[in-house]
Amino acid sequence: MKTPTKIIRTDKWRLNPTAEQRLLFSETVKVYRRACRYLVGIIYTHWGELGTLTADHLTPAVEKLMHQTAKRPSIKYPQFNQAFYKFPSYYRRSAIRQSRRFANAFSAGQVSSFVTRYQEWQSGSRKRKDAKPPKLNADTGCYPSLYKGQCYKLHGFNQVEIKVFNGKNWIWTKVQITGLRERHACATNKMMSPALIFNDRYCHLSVPFNCKPEKRKPEANVTAVDLGINTTATIAVVTQTGTVIHREFIHPGRDIDRRDKRLKSVSVRASKTMGKGGKLHKAFCSKTYKKCQRINNQISHIVSKRIVEIAEKFNSEAIRQSRRFANVFENLKGWKPKGGRKRSNLRQRFHGWLKAKIRDFTEMKWTELGGKVVEVVAAYTSKLAYDGSGTVKRNSRNYALTTFPSGKRFNADLNGAYNIGARGVIKLTRRNDGEGRSSKRSGRPPRSWASLCELWVRDNSKLA
């Protein structure tokens, strides 16, 4: 997998405003949103000629319609300057432009989205035959983007000065930065225009960075990850000679228990609400589900962070997932749970399996450091013994244990991680066109179903 040429990551810089500054931020966001609503109407009215323009040409074209200057005394919509007296030019341009970072920043993007959806509705592309046409909503929440020098000034990384609206004039106010991450400390990261996020719950700067990771000189090993139900992630660092130099189990059981108890309470409340044959309303237990979703995000971040730490510690060439997990991962795309009775605890655990989130979060973190994530075929990673002795047999009482044909007892997830690592090494060191070919030796599965013993054979053949 190729490392992306452009990596954008966003940090949250927490602010500690005074009571007076909170009022100023509130007024600033309100007047910015009013300006956006006004501009949405202008842009939609003239979308026929504005819709074909690029973002760079769109801004001056809209300003010709509504912003009066000495060289442009006659404009079509002079009401904007009257309603928004001394509105800063950079805030105005932020409101006009379609930003790539924020889908709701704002006016041109909002109109473009509506026109596209309306055209799809007209062409008959609808979820239901009686679906109503989409509406142009100019009253959605958006936050102002701040341009350096014009809208904000940094004083080290302890304070930031922001241009705000006090109800009559635009003034500067200095606010304390109480928390930030480490991306600003990396010399290769380029800071982009932040956004001021302010509401009843939050007050922070959302600061995007264009990350350009340094070129890595990795060691000849891969970090293999087996994602499971009983153990969230099983990690093995495998060298190109088939030596396992590190292995680890990651299972944040406390967070998983918190999530599962909440989900179990939903079924109890549902049975009390419905009785026999009743129905649940649409938003039943919505707050509980949202809380469980946040717990899932936390679990995924904890696990992915540890995976990346291990890969960085051993300077791995890639993280492998088997098409389950690369730093290496298995490829589990489209996998659906089949085990467990309907509404059983086992079925609930399958649906709570964070195979996609952990993979995505790991990939985001690892590519930012200049690494690559590789997916390998998931088939038979846990079923084949890593020593090449054949098909393993699971313990009926403890499914986490397996017995090899040789009589050896081993952890099933760790066995899968070893095989995932081997497939990752083979995928990195051989030509891609041979991955799906069948083995020349009869009775063997395709070469993409390799086990760890394949690396031992390759290493011995080189020595011979």
Side-chain angles (χ1 to χ4, degrees):
M1 175 181 174
K2 293 183 179 179
T3 304
T5 55
K6 193 171 185 180
I7 302 171
I8 305 296
R9 297 289 183 266
T10 303
D11 278 358
K12 180 195 289 185
W13 290 9
R14 290 189 296 275
L15 304 178
N16 186 25
T18 63
E20 183 182 352
Q21 287 174 329
R22 293 186 72 86
L23 291 174
L24 293 174
F25 289 160
S26 178
E27 285 295 323
T28 304
V29 172
K30 284 179 183 177
V31 72
Y32 180 80
R33 289 179 177 178
R34 278 176 34 227
C36 286
R37 290 197 296 270
Y38 197 103
L39 289 167
V40 165
I42 295 175
I43 294 173
Y44 180 61
T45 303
H46 298 272
W47 187 250
E49 59 255 34
L50 297 176
T52 57
L53 301 178
T54 61
D56 292 332
H57 292 92
L58 177 72
T59 303
V62 175
E63 287 185 333
K64 286 179 182 178
L65 294 170
M66 41 66 68
H67 182 56
Q68 189 176 25
T69 63
K71 294 182 179 180
R72 193 168 56 230
S74 179
I75 54 175
K76 192 164 186 176
Y77 301 98
Q79 299 89 346
F80 184 88
N81 286 345
Q82 296 168 9
F84 303 96
Y85 183 62
K86 289 186 178 180
F87 196 77
S89 60
Y90 282 87
Y91 277 125
R92 183 179 64 246
R93 289 165 188 169
S94 169
I96 294 171
R97 291 185 61 138
Q98 180 180 4
S99 171
R100 293 181 181 178
R101 293 183 292 106
F102 302 100
N104 58 350
F106 183 71
S107 304
Q110 197 75 355
V111 174
S112 175
S113 173
F114 164 72
V115 171
T116 301
R117 289 182 288 112
Y118 190 78
Q119 288 174 348
E120 289 178 353
W121 180 85
Q122 281 186 317
S123 65
S125 177
R126 307 174 190 177
K127 291 183 178 180
R128 303 188 316 273
K129 291 183 179 180
D130 60 341
K132 294 181 179 180
K135 295 181 180 180
L136 176 59
N137 183 12
D139 197 25
T140 58
C142 59
Y143 297 99
S145 293
L146 310 178
Y147 291 88
K148 188 175 182 180
Q150 303 294 329
C151 302
Y152 81 97
K153 299 173 185 176
L154 274 178
H155 298 278
F157 292 100
N158 299 318
Q159 291 181 321
V160 60
E161 201 170 356
I162 303 174
K163 184 176 280 189
V164 294
F165 188 62
N166 65 359
K168 293 182 179 180
N169 294 310
W170 290 85
I171 61 172
W172 289 93
T173 184
K174 191 179 290 185
V175 62
Q176 198 77 17
I177 300 173
T178 57
L180 42 77
R181 292 185 63 181
E182 69 286 345
R183 288 193 177 99
H184 65 280
C186 183
T188 57
N189 290 347
K190 181 181 178 182
M191 181 177 168
M192 302 168 71
S193 299
L196 173 62
I197 310 298
F198 179 83
N199 53 40
D200 294 337
R201 296 177 61 190
Y202 302 111
C203 183
H204 64 264
L205 292 179
S206 182
V207 188
F209 287 89
N210 185 359
C211 302
K212 293 182 179 179
E214 298 178 357
K215 288 186 178 180
R216 300 177 65 249
K217 295 181 179 179
E219 302 292 335
N221 66 66
V222 299
T223 301
V225 185
D226 182 278
L227 298 178
I229 302 297
N230 297 315
T231 304
T232 305
T234 305
I235 302 171
V237 182
V238 182
T239 67
Q240 290 188 5
T241 60
T243 304
V244 179
I245 57 177
H246 180 77
R247 58 186 186 179
E248 188 170 318
F249 298 92
I250 305 175
H251 189 68
R254 181 180 295 179
D255 293 321
I256 293 171
D257 287 345
R258 284 170 54 219
R259 180 199 65 194
D260 290 347
K261 284 180 180 178
R262 282 176 169 81
L263 290 174
K264 188 63 179 176
S265 71
V266 173
S267 61
V268 175
R269 281 178 279 173
S271 62
K272 291 180 179 179
T273 303
M274 289 188 301
K276 294 183 178 179
K279 289 186 178 180
L280 299 173
H281 60 85
K282 188 175 181 180
F284 181 76
C285 290
S286 59
K287 290 184 179 179
T288 302
Y289 282 119
K290 286 180 181 178
K291 177 64 176 177
C292 292
Q293 187 178 17
R294 291 193 290 270
I295 294 174
N296 277 342
N297 285 335
Q298 176 69 8
I299 294 170
S300 301
H301 278 299
I302 290 171
V303 175
S304 61
K305 182 180 178 181
R306 181 56 187 156
I307 293 169
V308 171
E309 285 175 353
I310 293 170
E312 191 174 12
K313 177 182 177 181
F314 291 94
N315 197 18
S316 296
E317 186 174 354
I319 296 178
R320 289 309 177 93
Q321 317 171 93
S322 73
R323 279 196 210 164
R324 265 174 183 168
F325 202 46
N327 237 348
V328 186
F329 287 93
E330 298 169 291
N331 185 358
L332 294 173
K333 187 176 181 181
W335 183 92
K336 293 183 179 180
K338 297 178 182 178
R341 292 178 288 104
K342 191 174 182 180
R343 299 187 183 91
S344 67
N345 290 341
L346 180 58
R347 179 61 66 91
Q348 179 176 298
R349 288 169 68 190
F350 271 121
H351 281 288
W353 189 12
L354 302 173
K355 61 184 188 302
K357 277 190 177 181
I358 294 175
R359 198 209 79 88
D360 292 342
F361 288 167
T362 304
E363 184 172 0
M364 286 190 289
K365 291 178 174 68
W366 188 230
T367 52
E368 186 179 345
L369 295 175
K372 56 184 176 181
V373 175
V374 182
E375 291 183 338
V376 297
V377 178
Y380 288 87
T381 48
S382 297
K383 199 169 185 178
L384 293 176
Y386 74 85
D387 59 4
S389 58
T391 305
V392 302
K393 185 178 180 181
R394 290 289 183 103
N395 189 310
S396 58
R397 294 185 178 181
N398 187 353
Y399 206 64
L401 293 177
T402 60
T403 304
F404 292 2
S406 59
K408 180 179 180 179
R409 300 180 69 192
F410 204 73
N411 183 279
D413 295 329
L414 195 57
N415 176 63
Y418 286 2
N419 291 335
I420 292 168
R423 295 181 189 186
V425 170
I426 292 172
K427 188 167 185 177
L428 285 175
T429 56
R430 77 176 182 194
R431 296 177 63 182
N432 291 331
D433 58 3
E435 184 181 358
R437 293 182 300 178
S438 299
S439 173
K440 293 180 181 179
R441 294 170 61 183
S442 60
R444 292 294 307 280
R447 287 178 179 171
S448 56
W449 296 0
S451 301
L452 185 65
C453 62
E454 301 272 346
L455 300 183
W456 303 339
V457 174
R458 283 156 55 96
D459 189 49
N460 291 333
S461 62
K462 287 180 181 179
L463 294 173

